[in-house]
Amino acid sequence: MSDALATDLYEVNMALAYLDTGMTGTATFSLFVRHLPPDRGFLVAAGLESALDHLASFRVDDEDVAAFADALGRPPSELEPLRGLRFSGDAWAVPEGRILFPDTPLLEVTAPMPEAQLVETHLLNQLSHQSAQASKAARCILVAGGRQVVDFSLRRCQGLEAGLHAARAGAVVGFAATSNVAAAARYGIPATGTMAHSFVEAFDEETEAFRAFAGSTSGPVTLLVDTYDTARGVDHAVEVLRGLPDVRRIGVRLDSGDLAELAHAARRVLDREGLPQARIVASGGLDEYAIEAFVAAGVPIDVFAVGTKVGTSADTPYLDAAYKLVEYDGRPVMKLSTEKVSEPGAKQVFRQAGLDDVLGTRDEPAPAGSEPLLLRVIAGGRRVTPRPSEAEAVAAARKRFRSDLEQLDPSRRRLRGLPDRRIPRSATLARRTEQVRAELRGRA
Amino acid sequence: MSDALATDLYEVNMALAYLDTGMTGTATFSLFVRHLPPDRGFLVAAGLESALDHLASFRVDDEDVAAFADALGRPPSELEPLRGLRFSGDAWAVPEGRILFPDTPLLEVTAPMPEAQLVETHLLNQLSHQSAQASKAARCILVAGGRQVVDFSLRRCQGLEAGLHAARAGAVVGFAATSNVAAAARYGIPATGTMAHSFVEAFDEETEAFRAFAGSTSGPVTLLVDTYDTARGVDHAVEVLRGLPDVRRIGVRLDSGDLAELAHAARRVLDREGLPQARIVASGGLDEYAIEAFVAAGVPIDVFAVGTKVGTSADTPYLDAAYKLVEYDGRPVMKLSTEKVSEPGAKQVFRQAGLDDVLGTRDEPAPAGSEPLLLRVIAGGRRVTPRPSEAEAVAAARKRFRSDLEQLDPSRRRLRGLPDRRIPRSATLARRTEQVRAELRGRA
């Protein structure tokens, strides 16, 4: 089963209808997010490498034709025009890690209509879910005040693929590590992990469990201290940690109870017992709101391990992404209905210092001192630059995010009470939109 | 990269510590959901086939050992005990499609401790996310009053895997079809699809688009009528649909605006124009609450196409699932902390008519007239029965769900205001829990 099958059936219906009626002219589709989710100040672009892999390798093979025919209840002979179809067009996109605002295209595709149509579902799925995850993870970094955030989400993500992408999204925005070994291996992210309550329970005594754990590793030792009584758990941990040959990389983990109170108590004991280097890791239902509160209150937590709520982007597990036809066969296309107006034609976003963006047209010259955000990434069906390794892609995205974050206005770094932001339109785009609107009204 | 890598690093830490210290006795872990999400009356078991595939094929190969060593920053030689490790234990599980209540184990694993530990993350990921999706989808069926519900979620799911599982979960609870071609092909689900607004916009006239679409297919024709003006869209659709050689499988789709009002208007026109068989398909942000309202108001929608909110289980995108050690080396294990008490030992759930369940112990005899829900599915590392085909597994799960749903108390079919339900404990389990509690308190 090839990648081409991961599509909505209607893409196939439409591609066939286009091929049957000779509607194979060049189309431009724009993939963008209409509105920020509530309380979000910005989006973080992610998922582009997955999207480009799809475009560059897209091919309808024999097995796909058979499956399409089955799904449609039509004889495979009627699907002949699809056989062997590849993506031969161009794509422009915002590199991963960049901070974006609504209406900015994450990606634009310019290709023969049937091809541009067939890749829609895959592109929307990957770009919108990975950007949702990165945008959620970024919020943890906003409020962590430089303390470490790590990803523990795999067990609660919506599938193993979502788990990989959650770890990757975390790495893009600056998480220090992931618990996900597959993601660590694939994306070159540091791996991290402690122990489960079950490990402590499997031994007769907590101290015995701690000794067994510490004794079996030459790596960092972080002991989970809340299985029974947390105060005693810290004492037991100190007893074991103090005796280790290498006490540089040690810590305790708190996973339940009043984390603020327990962290203060644990810190006092660790310091008093001569282990000021021991780190306190906290986990258990954490998200950006919890991190913000702990940091504001000066709670001595060194590492925030986030899981479920961040890995599923639980408060807003999807983005309002659309893949809009904006031009067909040289003719700019727009929808006039009041609910969902979209502006015609291929776009570009021009960014000035301070993430001051203007939405313009693809072909207009960039205003002085501005940087175009959309880069041509696919030309004639091929990547414009060689595919980076997974680790290179993550490292580059991380660098972009860090740089954009430095320029983000403090008002957009808040977790709450953020108004939706509409980026201004260039004079060229505004003029084109008005022209097309007038033409459409004239015809109607 | 094998399946074994999709794990949290701490599983590897713990497995190594168990192997190093000779803690390889038999452990039983119980995977269950502690609490129903708000406003949920029950859960639907799903994900078991994925979980069993993992257990039956689990093997730590050379590449895994290298990746684990990398992740731990330890020399591969220290990980020798893991090399070649397979899952050799037993598993009991609730078959997919069954309706469940909190504290009921979805799955129990009884195996040598390091093996039981290494499979944790994967089992939690698959069983909890697929059950979350099925439990959400089931709510649409509860309120659809026999009208069709279909899955359109792929583009907004958290990855392609999540999209496959959303389609599968829908099929398990009785959705009529999916838009996802890969899921249709893999799971033997009917595929369905209409057209996008972009298709209509690509033509000069709406009627022209409708003609092109209808002319290119011998299959069902459902025309999207809300691109410009919905009332005129319906007129245009009638014009085209009336002229088709086969007018049995026709319809219109509404995707925006006041769906109730538009559906009534469309129904009137279709009936008046001699097309009473034409179906009205509605989409656009639908979930169980919207379906309930439309059905209650008698809105003439024949097919509800659900997407984003159902496919991501948007209001509650995860379940509070745990994988608890309940027995080690013949000794029942329980945690005494007040927050998360878990009962010791292997479990069974005995179900009587009306989904009247009792949580008991694995070894006690089933009360007369009751059915044990957990079946032994893996013995000595192998499936007890041959793996069903994907389509067989879905069909069997669908049958189980339908049968359980018939027995579900009307009070638990509501969408709102459902209290959490605690299933009663058998005398044997209650006694065992008290004994273990007393022993632990004595030791403490």
Side-chain angles (χ1 to χ4, degrees):
Chain A
M1 196 180 294
S2 98
D3 228 24
L5 277 197
T7 185
D8 285 322
L9 184 65
Y10 86 163
E11 315 287 10
V12 184
N13 278 334
M14 290 189 280
L16 278 168
Y18 285 133
L19 289 162
D20 280 353
T21 52
M23 296 269 292
T24 54
T26 300
T28 294
F29 283 85
S30 193
L31 193 160
F32 61 97
V33 175
R34 260 181 230 287
H35 300 286
L36 288 171
D39 290 332
R40 300 287 167 99
F42 57 88
L43 300 173
V44 179
L48 182 60
E49 291 303 330
S50 307
L52 299 188
D53 286 345
H54 184 63
L55 292 176
S57 69
F58 186 86
R59 183 168 194 277
V60 180
D61 66 23
D62 296 347
E63 214 185 328
D64 299 326
V65 170
F68 288 155
D70 257 11
L72 290 167
R74 297 172 65 173
S77 58
E78 291 186 16
L79 280 72
E80 266 316 306
L82 290 179
R83 195 183 304 271
L85 192 137
R86 292 174 176 278
F87 181 80
S88 67
D90 296 351
W92 281 254
V94 177
E96 293 191 271
R98 298 221 69 158
I99 289 177
L100 299 181
F101 306 101
D103 290 344
T104 301
L106 279 158
L107 178 93
E108 290 200 330
V109 161
T110 296
M113 178 61 105
E115 301 172 17
Q117 194 64 64
L118 280 172
V119 297
E120 173 183 18
T121 306
H122 196 292
L123 297 177
L124 275 171
N125 176 285
Q126 290 296 314
L127 288 166
S128 71
H129 107 85
Q130 294 194 49
S131 296
Q133 287 181 310
S135 303
K136 178 72 172 177
R139 292 163 62 79
C140 299
I141 293 296
L142 286 184
V143 294
R147 305 194 205 174
Q148 287 197 351
V149 183
V150 301
D151 161 53
F152 275 16
S153 67
L154 174 57
R155 62 187 52 205
R156 293 282 184 80
C157 281
Q158 295 194 347
L160 300 171
E161 178 195 4
L164 283 170
H165 290 157
R168 185 180 190 277
V172 165
V173 300
F175 283 16
T178 180
S179 66
N180 183 334
V181 182
R186 180 177 297 188
Y187 302 120
I189 310 171
T192 188
T194 61
M195 60 172 63
H197 295 113
S198 62
F199 187 85
V200 177
E201 293 170 308
F203 291 81
D204 286 330
E205 301 288 341
E206 193 172 41
T207 314
E208 194 189 339
F210 289 171
R211 273 193 219 293
F213 190 84
S216 94
T217 177
S218 56
V221 175
T222 299
L223 301 173
L224 179 64
V225 292
D226 69 341
T227 304
Y228 303 115
D229 175 86
T230 305
R232 288 168 60 193
V234 174
D235 292 340
H236 295 158
V238 165
E239 202 182 317
V240 172
L241 293 172
R242 249 202 315 228
L244 293 181
D246 177 359
V247 291
R248 282 169 305 176
R249 294 184 299 160
I250 58 173
V252 297
R253 173 173 159 226
L254 304 167
D255 186 52
S256 59
D258 181 334
L259 293 175
E261 195 184 309
L262 295 171
H264 278 295
R267 189 71 271 157
R268 279 193 298 271
V269 173
L270 292 165
D271 290 348
R272 187 186 66 209
E273 300 294 330
L275 296 172
Q277 77 281 26
R279 299 196 308 172
I280 297 178
V281 180
S283 59
L286 299 187
D287 61 9
E288 67 270 38
Y289 299 106
I291 294 173
E292 183 182 46
F294 288 132
V295 170
V299 176
I301 293 171
D302 303 290
V303 182
F304 296 104
V306 298
T308 310
K309 290 182 185 168
V310 177
T312 61
S313 189
D315 58 345
T316 173
Y318 58 87
L319 293 176
D320 180 24
Y323 185 77
K324 281 284 146 200
L325 178 67
V326 294
E327 185 168 322
Y328 178 65
D329 210 13
R331 174 172 63 84
V333 170
M334 76 182 288
K335 206 176 149 182
L336 282 185
S337 85
T338 46
E339 257 180 280
K340 296 179 175 180
V341 175
S342 60
E343 291 156 302
K347 311 287 192 307
Q348 181 54 275
V349 176
F350 302 105
R351 172 162 291 180
Q352 291 183 308
L355 311 190
D356 187 8
D357 294 348
V358 172
L359 184 64
T361 67
R362 186 185 289 169
D363 297 327
E364 71 183 285
S370 76
E371 176 198 10
L373 283 192
L374 287 130
L375 308 178
R376 183 145 76 160
V377 285
I378 298 270
R382 293 165 189 272
R383 280 175 179 262
V384 169
T385 54
R387 196 206 194 285
S389 74
E390 297 285 3
E392 283 163 2
V394 169
R398 188 179 181 115
K399 209 170 143 187
R400 286 183 210 107
F401 175 73
R402 198 181 299 145
S403 162
D404 274 5
L405 187 60
E406 278 169 17
Q407 295 194 53
L408 183 69
D409 189 272
S411 73
R412 307 218 57 89
R413 299 178 62 124
R414 292 202 311 258
L415 295 187
R416 297 174 192 79
L418 292 138
D420 209 355
R421 167 168 168 171
R422 188 177 150 86
I423 67 175
R425 272 55 180 169
S426 74
T428 311
L429 177 58
R431 204 159 45 235
R432 183 168 73 191
T433 303
E434 269 324 297
Q435 277 171 0
V436 175
R437 197 193 301 271
E439 277 169 37
L440 286 176
R441 289 218 170 111
R443 281 203 292 147
Chain B
M1 197 180 296
S2 98
D3 227 23
L5 277 197
T7 185
D8 286 321
L9 184 65
Y10 86 163
E11 316 287 11
V12 184
N13 278 333
M14 290 189 280
L16 278 169
Y18 284 133
L19 288 162
D20 280 351
T21 52
M23 296 269 293
T24 55
T26 300
T28 295
F29 282 85
S30 193
L31 194 160
F32 61 97
V33 175
R34 261 181 230 286
H35 300 288
L36 289 171
D39 290 332
R40 300 287 167 99
F42 57 88
L43 300 173
V44 179
L48 183 59
E49 291 303 332
S50 307
L52 299 188
D53 286 345
H54 184 63
L55 292 176
S57 69
F58 186 84
R59 185 168 191 278
V60 179
D61 66 23
D62 295 348
E63 214 184 328
D64 299 327
V65 170
F68 288 155
D70 259 8
L72 291 167
R74 297 172 66 173
S77 59
E78 292 185 14
L79 280 72
E80 266 315 305
L82 290 178
R83 194 184 304 272
L85 192 137
R86 292 174 175 278
F87 181 79
S88 68
D90 296 351
W92 280 255
V94 177
E96 293 191 271
R98 297 222 70 161
I99 289 178
L100 298 181
F101 306 100
D103 290 343
T104 301
L106 281 157
L107 177 91
E108 289 200 330
V109 162
T110 297
M113 178 60 105
E115 301 172 17
Q117 193 65 64
L118 280 172
V119 296
E120 172 182 16
T121 307
H122 196 290
L123 296 178
L124 275 171
N125 176 284
Q126 290 296 313
L127 288 165
S128 71
H129 109 85
Q130 294 195 49
S131 296
Q133 287 180 310
S135 303
K136 178 72 172 178
R139 291 164 63 79
C140 299
I141 294 296
L142 285 183
V143 294
R147 305 193 203 173
Q148 286 197 353
V149 183
V150 302
D151 161 54
F152 274 16
S153 67
L154 174 58
R155 63 187 50 206
R156 293 281 184 81
C157 280
Q158 296 194 346
L160 301 171
E161 178 195 4
L164 282 170
H165 289 157
R168 186 182 190 275
V172 165
V173 301
F175 284 16
T178 179
S179 66
N180 183 333
V181 182
R186 180 176 297 188
Y187 303 120
I189 309 172
T192 188
T194 62
M195 61 172 60
H197 295 113
S198 61
F199 186 86
V200 177
E201 293 169 308
F203 291 81
D204 286 329
E205 300 289 338
E206 193 171 42
T207 314
E208 194 188 338
F210 289 171
R211 272 191 221 292
F213 190 84
S216 94
T217 177
S218 57
V221 175
T222 300
L223 301 173
L224 178 65
V225 292
D226 68 341
T227 304
Y228 304 115
D229 175 86
T230 305
R232 287 169 60 194
V234 173
D235 291 341
H236 295 156
V238 165
E239 202 180 318
V240 172
L241 293 172
R242 249 202 316 228
L244 293 182
D246 176 359
V247 292
R248 283 168 306 175
R249 295 183 299 160
I250 57 173
V252 296
R253 172 173 159 225
L254 304 166
D255 187 52
S256 59
D258 182 334
L259 293 176
E261 195 183 308
L262 295 171
H264 278 296
R267 188 73 270 158
R268 279 192 299 271
V269 173
L270 293 166
D271 289 350
R272 188 187 66 211
E273 300 294 330
L275 297 172
Q277 76 282 26
R279 298 195 308 172
I280 297 177
V281 180
S283 58
L286 300 187
D287 61 10
E288 68 269 37
Y289 299 106
I291 294 174
E292 183 182 46
F294 288 132
V295 171
V299 175
I301 293 171
D302 302 291
V303 181
F304 296 104
V306 297
T308 310
K309 289 182 185 167
V310 176
T312 62
S313 189
D315 58 346
T316 172
Y318 58 88
L319 293 176
D320 179 24
Y323 185 76
K324 280 282 146 202
L325 178 66
V326 293
E327 185 168 323
Y328 178 63
D329 210 15
R331 175 171 62 84
V333 170
M334 77 184 287
K335 204 177 151 183
L336 283 184
S337 85
T338 45
E339 258 182 278
K340 294 178 173 179
V341 175
S342 60
E343 291 155 303
K347 310 290 190 308
Q348 180 55 276
V349 177
F350 303 105
R351 172 162 290 180
Q352 292 183 308
L355 310 191
D356 187 7
D357 293 349
V358 172
L359 183 64
T361 67
R362 186 186 288 168
D363 297 328
E364 71 182 286
S370 78
E371 176 198 11
L373 283 192
L374 287 130
L375 308 178
R376 183 145 78 158
V377 285
I378 298 270
R382 291 165 188 272
R383 281 175 178 261
V384 169
T385 54
R387 198 210 192 284
S389 73
E390 297 285 3
E392 284 164 1
V394 169
R398 189 180 181 112
K399 210 169 143 188
R400 285 183 212 108
F401 175 73
R402 196 182 298 144
S403 162
D404 274 4
L405 186 59
E406 279 171 15
Q407 295 195 54
L408 183 69
D409 190 89
S411 73
R412 307 214 62 88
R413 298 178 64 124
R414 294 201 310 256
L415 295 189
R416 296 175 193 80
L418 292 138
D420 208 353
R421 167 168 168 171
R422 186 176 152 86
I423 66 174
R425 272 55 177 170
S426 74
T428 310
L429 177 59
R431 207 159 42 235
R432 183 168 73 193
T433 303
E434 270 323 298
Q435 276 170 2
V436 174
R437 196 192 303 271
E439 277 169 36
L440 287 176
R441 288 215 171 115
R443 280 204 290 147

